[in-house]
């Protein structure tokens, strides 16, 4: 997952996966804003086209987070959003505007660093954490028009501080404050969804074991021919749940719904939340992780900040007893999360193809 640099060959990672080093897309654009190397140009069938968009203007469900603890209708709305869409936006989540803006500013400051300074934080050859690009498993595959910085944030003992940029003022303080607030929001969502699944309020959080949290800062440079590339390939997340802070001014995220792509328009201060693969397995497919992608544009670079909630690697995943019955047969097998994360990281992002690992044979 590294940007091309000798330090990326150091084998000092978590052992979860690896990715081949590639050139920084941001640097490609800085050098020649009209250049699009061949490895980024998608086959025609994979290029973003207006004809692939949903024929009607749709919006994913909007959840008022402040009402969840007191309003059964809002909880039901959350439940239906996970069942029917797998994506929703939340407002009134209680994260202070200052915390959101400082997090965005810290991400921008990192990507504004000179390339040689960013390379100081390049990913090792088998580590999840650091600066680079993810899921690059062959020299032939098409690459995403983006650079990332991926960090484990919680629990604190999992942080590898050599990947945390000291050149960005107050970076650790800002990320720490943002991560704790996102964690609070995620736990409240888990509590409400536990109730909607007729379980104890703490059940979903407890299922994680020692719950992990990771953050990915995404940078999407401008592109002179955005119709030829993708900022992020279509994929679903191998998390339990993901929470995204979008760029308020640039629309890029698109999700699959009924065979078409639906743009997710940014709502200032809102968070986009989506069901991950692990939640799909736990609910035996009642909630589904949804394929999504990001497109690029000619006029403005875009940044986003994704947070992933993950089970402990040693936790066994599989459908909960409450989700299996005579009329709802078991669709997913039992597996260790570490085995699943290694399986997914050994493959390029290709829709939901990797989720076959979770499913009962012949399903």
């Amino acid at each position: 997952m590294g940007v091309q640099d000798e330090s990326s060959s150091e084998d000092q990672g978590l052992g979860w996966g690896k990715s081949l080093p590639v050139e920084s897309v941001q640097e490609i654009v800085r050098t020649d804003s009209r250049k699009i190397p061949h490895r980024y140009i998608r086959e025609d069938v994979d290029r973003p086209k207006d004809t692939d968009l949903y024929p009607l203007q749709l919006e994913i469900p909007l959840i008022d987070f402040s009402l969840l603890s007191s309003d059964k209708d809002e909880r039901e709305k959350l439940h239906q959003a996970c069942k029917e869409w797998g994506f929703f936006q939340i407002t009134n989540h209680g994260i202070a505007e200052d915390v959101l803006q400082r997090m965005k500013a810290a991400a921008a400051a990192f990507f504004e660093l000179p390339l040689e300074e960013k390379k100081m934080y390049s990913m090792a050859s088998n580590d999840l954490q650091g600066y680079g690009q993810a899921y690059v498993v062959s020299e032939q595959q098409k690459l995403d028009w983006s650079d990332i910085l991926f960090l484990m944030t919680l629990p604190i003992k999992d942080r590898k501080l050599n990947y945390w940029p000291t050149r960005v003022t107050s970076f650790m303080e800002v990320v720490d404050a943002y991560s704790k607030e996102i964690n609070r929001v995620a736990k409240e969502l888990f509590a409400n969804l536990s109730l909607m699944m007729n379980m104890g309020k703490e059940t979903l959080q407890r299922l994680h074991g020692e719950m992990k949290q990771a953050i990915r800062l995404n940078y999407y440079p401008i592109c002179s021919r955005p119709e030829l590339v993708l900022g992020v390939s279509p994929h679903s997340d191998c998390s339990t749940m993901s929470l995204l802070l979008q760029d308020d001014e640039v629309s890029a995220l698109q999700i699959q719904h009924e065979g078409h792509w639906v743009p997710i328009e940014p709502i200032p201060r809102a968070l986009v939340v989506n069901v991950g693969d692990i939640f799909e397995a736990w609910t035996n497919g009642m909630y589904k992780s949804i394929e999504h992608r990001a497109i690029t544009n000619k006029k403005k670079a875009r940044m986003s900040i994704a947070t992933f909630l993950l089970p402990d690697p040693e936790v066994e995943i599989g459908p909960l007893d409450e989700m299996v019955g005579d009329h709802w047969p078991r669709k997913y097998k039992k597996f260790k999360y570490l085995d699943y994360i290694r399986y997914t990281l050994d493959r390029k992002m290709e829709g939901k193809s990797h989720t076959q690992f979770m499913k009962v044979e012949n399903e």
Side-chain angles (χ1 to χ4, degrees), residues 73 87 123 134 159 171 181 208 217 219-220 227 234 238 248 257 262 270 282 290 352:
D73 289 341
F87 265 82
M123 297 172 180
R159 296 178 180 179
F171 184 86
E181 284 292 277
H208 285 81
L217 312 183
Y219 184 87
Y220 305 94
E227 72 277 9
C238 55
D248 290 342
H257 185 70
V262 177
W282 274 338
I290 300 299
K352 290 196 61 172

Side-chain angles (χ1 to χ4, degrees), residues 35-284:
K35 182 181 178 182
I36 305 177
H38 178 72
R39 287 190 70 187
Y40 295 88
I41 299 175
R42 300 282 170 154
E43 302 298 334
D44 185 68
V45 67
D46 298 323
R47 295 175 186 175
K49 307 176 188 69
D50 289 344
T51 52
D52 293 335
L53 298 179
Y54 202 88
L56 302 174
Q57 186 173 357
L58 291 180
E59 294 183 357
I60 60 173
L62 185 63
I63 306 297
D64 187 334
F65 184 84
S66 67
L67 298 179
L68 286 176
S69 61
S70 59
D71 190 325
K72 291 183 179 179
D73 289 341
E74 202 69 16
R75 279 202 299 271
E76 178 63 27
K77 188 177 174 183
L78 171 66
H79 179 55
Q80 293 301 320
C82 291
K83 289 176 66 174
E84 297 172 9
W85 282 88
F87 265 82
F88 53 93
Q89 297 205 58
I90 58 173
T91 57
N92 299 321
H93 42 65
I95 303 179
E97 175 74 8
D98 178 63
V99 172
L100 300 177
Q101 294 307 320
R102 291 183 72 200
M103 186 64 244
K104 289 182 177 182
F110 172 75
F111 288 111
E112 286 169 4
L113 292 173
L115 179 62
E116 290 306 312
E117 292 193 27
K118 290 199 289 283
K119 277 185 175 181
M120 294 168 58
Y121 309 105
S122 290
M123 297 172 180
S125 61
N126 70 338
D127 202 345
L128 291 177
Q129 302 186 62
Y131 169 62
Q133 192 178 127
Y135 298 96
V136 183
V137 297
S138 80
E139 298 290 351
Q140 289 74 42
Q141 78 182 74
K142 297 301 182 180
L143 300 176
D144 292 339
W145 196 256
S146 59
D147 297 332
I148 70 171
L149 176 66
F150 187 95
L151 302 169
M152 297 296 294
T153 57
L154 294 173
I156 292 175
K157 67 180 178 62
D158 284 353
R159 296 178 180 179
K160 290 195 170 183
L161 298 183
N162 53 306
Y163 296 120
W164 291 57
T166 56
R167 307 292 181 108
V168 178
T169 304
S170 302
F171 184 86
M172 184 179 294
E173 174 192 337
V174 170
V175 172
D176 195 49
Y178 179 75
S179 296
K180 287 177 179 176
E181 284 292 277
I182 288 288
N183 193 260
R184 171 186 61 79
V185 171
K187 287 179 177 177
E188 187 65 23
L189 289 171
F190 286 142
N192 281 280
L193 289 168
S194 291
L195 294 175
M196 296 309 299
M197 294 165 65
N198 298 313
M199 303 186 302
K201 193 174 183 180
E202 303 300 322
T203 302
L204 284 173
Q205 182 179 333
R206 190 175 66 249
L207 285 170
H208 285 81
E210 184 179 45
M211 189 162 67
K212 310 290 185 179
Q213 187 168 308
I215 194 170
R216 189 179 69 205
L217 312 183
N218 305 300
Y219 184 87
Y220 305 94
I222 59 171
C223 182
S224 61
R225 297 286 304 280
E227 72 277 9
L228 300 181
V229 307
L230 285 172
V232 173
S233 302
H235 68 286
S236 62
D237 292 343
C238 55
S239 59
T240 304
M241 181 181 287
S242 307
L243 298 93
L244 180 73
L245 181 61
Q246 291 210 83
D247 188 315
D248 290 342
E249 300 177 4
V250 183
S251 177
L253 176 63
Q254 298 179 344
I255 72 167
Q256 269 284 314
H257 185 70
E258 298 179 349
H260 298 277
W261 291 104
V262 177
I264 307 303
E265 297 300 329
I267 298 175
R269 297 179 296 282
L271 295 170
V272 178
V273 184
N274 64 280
V275 172
D277 298 338
I278 300 308
F279 221 155
E280 178 175 322
W282 274 338
T283 62
N284 202 29

Side-chain angles (χ1 to χ4, degrees), residues 209-363:
E210 184 179 45
M211 189 162 67
K212 310 290 185 179
Q213 187 168 308
I215 194 170
R216 189 179 69 205
L217 312 183
N218 305 300
Y219 184 87
Y220 305 94
I222 59 171
C223 182
S224 61
R225 297 286 304 280
E227 72 277 9
L228 300 181
V229 307
L230 285 172
V232 173
S233 302
H235 68 286
S236 62
D237 292 343
C238 55
S239 59
T240 304
M241 181 181 287
S242 307
L243 298 93
L244 180 73
L245 181 61
Q246 291 210 83
D247 188 315
D248 290 342
E249 300 177 4
V250 183
S251 177
L253 176 63
Q254 298 179 344
I255 72 167
Q256 269 284 314
H257 185 70
E258 298 179 349
H260 298 277
W261 291 104
V262 177
I264 307 303
E265 297 300 329
I267 298 175
R269 297 179 296 282
L271 295 170
V272 178
V273 184
N274 64 280
V275 172
D277 298 338
I278 300 308
F279 221 155
E280 178 175 322
W282 274 338
T283 62
N284 202 29
M286 180 178 70
Y287 298 161
K288 286 185 172 60
S289 61
I290 300 299
E291 195 174 333
H292 52 287
R293 69 183 186 183
I295 60 172
T296 64
N297 71 87
K298 292 181 179 180
K299 297 181 179 179
K300 191 176 186 299
R302 172 181 176 261
M303 281 178 290
S304 67
I305 300 158
T307 303
F308 306 96
L309 282 302
L310 313 168
D312 184 277
E314 297 300 319
V315 165
E316 186 178 69
I317 308 297
L320 305 177
D321 291 341
E322 293 85 351
M323 299 292 111
V324 179
D326 294 339
H327 301 292
W328 197 247
R330 184 180 298 273
K331 299 180 178 181
Y332 301 80
K333 63 186 180 183
K334 292 184 177 180
F335 56 92
K336 187 187 291 188
Y337 183 62
L338 179 60
D339 294 335
Y340 185 62
I341 194 74
R342 282 177 170 166
Y343 178 87
T344 61
L345 288 169
D346 197 36
R347 285 156 178 76
K348 65 180 181 178
M349 289 190 288
E350 195 169 20
K352 290 196 61 172
S353 59
H354 61 281
T355 60
Q356 289 302 315
F357 176 96
M358 305 191 303
K359 295 183 179 180
V360 173
E361 289 185 17
N362 303 319
E363 168 56 27

